[in-house]
Amino acid sequence: MSIKSFYVRRMLLQYDKQLVADRRIRRHMQLMGSSEVDPAQKRQLMVERVAQEVFENLLFSGSNNPVVEDVKKSLENELGEKLSFKFPPSKLDFEIYRETQDGPVKIDSYETSGLLNRLWNITLEKVDETML
């Protein structure tokens, strides 16, 4: 009796996926389950992880998630102008445009870094407010 190579390869690929998932779970458990980390630090780690997800959704996927929309509206209210975040497929970096009466105007890289810093701070604040 012989085992076909297709089945062996499929079994090994599945096993490899399980090993990768196990490593992720162990790393997560190590970060979250460490007895040396107090609850406030654990909460802050979780807030930062969720904020990173919201931040990336806002910049790269344009999600309609209520928290993402709230963060974007807060930044626009603070600046007093409407912004659009675009990630052109032909370019490696995203672009931020200011909506004007004459159409969208690209924001320069110096101002973009300041906007991203402020956007990150707003995202952290919003996630911290909404998290239990």
Side-chain angles (χ1 to χ4, degrees), residues 76 81-86 97-105 107:
E76 288 174 349
E81 54 195 3
K82 187 167 172 61
L83 300 173
S84 358
F85 299 89
K86 309 238 185 225
Y97 289 89
R98 178 179 288 124
E99 300 292 331
T100 64
Q101 293 175 350
D102 299 329
V105 176
I107 296 176

Side-chain angles (χ1 to χ4, degrees), residues 7-62:
Y7 296 112
V8 172
R9 270 189 269 136
R10 198 165 128 196
M11 178 193 63
L12 290 173
L13 283 173
Q14 184 64 29
Y15 181 65
D16 186 47
K17 288 179 185 177
Q18 290 172 350
L19 288 175
V20 169
D22 180 56
R23 275 188 236 125
R24 274 193 203 136
I25 290 170
R26 286 179 189 265
R27 187 171 357 113
H28 179 70
M29 294 299 286
Q30 184 180 23
L31 283 174
M32 297 307 290
S34 176
S35 61
E36 298 171 11
V37 180
D38 68 328
Q41 288 176 329
K42 284 183 186 179
R43 184 181 184 286
Q44 186 60 34
L45 282 172
M46 190 57 70
V47 166
E48 287 177 5
R49 283 185 185 163
V50 172
Q52 183 67 36
E53 186 72 27
V54 169
F55 187 75
E56 288 173 1
N57 281 338
L58 176 65
L59 294 180
F60 301 118
S61 67

Side-chain angles (χ1 to χ4, degrees), residues 111-124:
E111 192 175 355
T112 298
S113 64
L115 281 175
L116 290 178
N117 286 335
R118 186 61 195 134
L119 184 64
W120 173 249
N121 290 334
I122 291 172
T123 305
L124 276 175

